[in-house]
Amino acid sequence: MSKSKKQLEIQRNIDLFLDHAMHNEESAHFMHEVENNPEYPKLIDQEMNFRNFIKNNVKRPGVSTDLIQSIINRIKID
Amino acid sequence: MPHIEALKTFAFHLTYNEADADDLIQETYMKAFKFMDKYEKGTNAKAWLFKILKNAYINEYRKKVKSPQKVDVDDVGLVKTTENQNERLKADLRDDIYTNELGDEVTKALDKLPEDFRTVILLCDIEGFSYEEMSKIIDIPVGTIRSRLFRARNALKELLKPYAEKMGYEDFRGRRRSRNEEE
């Protein structure tokens, strides 16, 4: 397997692991690789940092009380 | 109102507009209320509301944007209305600049992504839905969710690369190093 293909596979596995989308067997195999490859924990950390960075910095517009009241009023009418 | 903040974030990043996002949210709760009997007790209510919102966006909002309301050109109020709308737009943009909202690099990068990519990032990385839940919300197979999410994250990392470098990071995927370490 070429280096770039291997890197893609590692990235995919890290994604699945962090998304809790691995089956038990896959997860056990992945954990074994993590324990035997010192690069893995670093890469997992980087991916987690990236996700936290996105989550903490995405714009979350506020919800006005007018909107909530308007929904309540419409539900009452219906 | 359950999950309204999360729905607002999702609706805002689909429409890029707070007023349209609010309309979508109203529509979502009206539909949820109307079709309450279709909700299966014990299932994820948040995912159910997100699915209603996504469908309302596809079926109603997109149609509305594609076929804007027709206006009679002989209507004497037309010019005045257009001027008012332009003024309102300018005022909104000024508000955005004053509150620094246009300087938000993450939001700008996210909004540059194609809608399909943006949707999976919002559902998974912002709202924490599982692949199975996302598959139900947007009606695509889990395998497609997996590959779309992978491509979407890489596209987002690529868009944020210049910003990350400016902030002293080499690459989100590569080795992380501060400017001090480089000097």
Side-chain angles (χ1 to χ4, degrees):
Chain A
M1 192 185 289
S2 71
K3 199 180 170 188
S4 61
K5 269 193 179 171
K6 180 74 184 162
Q7 277 175 334
L8 274 182
E9 195 190 295
I10 291 171
Q11 191 61 45
R12 278 206 178 94
N13 283 337
I14 290 174
D15 275 5
L16 292 177
F17 175 71
L18 292 178
D19 292 338
H20 308 288
M22 279 181 164
H23 300 297
N24 286 347
E25 222 172 87
E26 283 175 317
S27 187
H29 178 71
F30 179 76
M31 287 314 293
H32 179 75
E33 282 198 48
V34 171
E35 281 161 19
N36 291 293
N37 185 339
E39 278 293 304
Y40 265 86
K42 221 186 294 175
L43 292 171
I44 292 171
D45 259 7
Q46 281 169 2
E47 184 61 30
M48 281 170 67
N49 285 341
F50 171 73
R51 293 185 189 191
N52 287 333
F53 175 72
I54 299 301
K55 199 169 180 174
N56 295 334
N57 287 286
V58 74
K59 183 180 172 181
R60 295 172 194 270
V63 176
S64 68
T65 47
D66 286 353
L67 173 64
I68 294 173
Q69 196 53 52
S70 162
I71 295 168
I72 293 169
N73 292 344
R74 280 187 65 185
I75 288 173
K76 273 183 189 166
I77 291 166
D78 278 31
Chain B
M1 199 71 62
H3 309 299
I4 194 162
E5 283 90 4
L7 287 167
K8 176 78 183 256
T9 301
F10 188 47
F12 175 75
H13 288 285
L14 287 176
T15 60
Y16 305 102
N17 179 301
E18 278 215 55
D20 288 342
D22 285 353
D23 287 348
L24 260 180
I25 290 168
Q26 284 211 34
E27 215 42 55
T28 301
Y29 281 103
M30 293 310 293
K31 284 198 161 79
F33 181 70
K34 194 174 166 187
F35 298 107
M36 192 71 89
D37 57 318
K38 304 260 190 261
Y39 171 69
E40 292 167 36
K41 273 188 183 169
T43 59
N44 188 337
K46 184 178 171 185
W48 185 62
L49 287 168
F50 267 71
K51 187 178 173 68
I52 296 174
L53 190 145
K54 180 74 176 124
N55 287 345
Y57 170 74
I58 291 169
N59 298 330
E60 283 145 47
Y61 179 77
R62 271 195 196 153
K63 266 188 208 160
K64 191 178 90 180
V65 171
K66 274 183 190 164
S67 12
Q69 202 179 353
K70 287 182 182 145
V71 179
D72 185 353
V73 284
D74 291 332
D75 186 342
V76 286
L78 178 64
V79 176
K80 198 170 185 307
T81 307
T82 307
E83 278 174 1
N84 284 344
Q85 280 169 343
N86 286 341
E87 279 309 307
R88 201 166 57 230
L89 182 66
K90 278 183 202 163
D92 287 346
L93 281 172
R94 277 199 300 269
D95 287 343
D96 283 349
I97 291 162
Y98 290 143
T99 54
N100 265 339
E101 284 171 359
L102 290 179
D104 185 338
E105 299 296 332
V106 172
T107 298
K108 277 200 268 185
L110 190 62
D111 291 348
K112 272 185 198 162
L113 290 177
E115 188 185 300
D116 287 347
F117 282 9
R118 203 161 67 235
T119 301
V120 288
I121 295 264
L122 286 164
L123 292 177
C124 188
D125 292 345
I126 308 299
E127 297 306 332
F129 285 114
S130 69
Y131 289 7
E132 284 75 17
E133 286 165 337
M134 286 195 285
S135 163
K136 284 179 188 157
I137 293 169
I138 49 182
D139 267 331
I140 57 173
V142 169
T144 311
I145 293 280
R146 193 183 304 156
S147 58
R148 190 175 290 177
L149 198 49
F150 182 73
R151 287 183 292 136
R153 282 177 179 142
N154 280 343
L156 185 60
K157 284 167 185 167
E158 207 54 50
L159 282 169
L160 282 168
K161 210 169 148 186
Y163 176 63
E165 282 169 354
K166 203 168 79 184
M167 298 298 286
Y169 292 84
E170 185 186 350
D171 190 328
F172 282 109
R173 288 160 295 180
R175 287 174 59 80
R176 187 178 146 181
R177 61 183 182 195
S178 71
R179 278 187 180 144
N180 292 341
E181 281 171 334
E182 283 174 359
E183 284 163 5

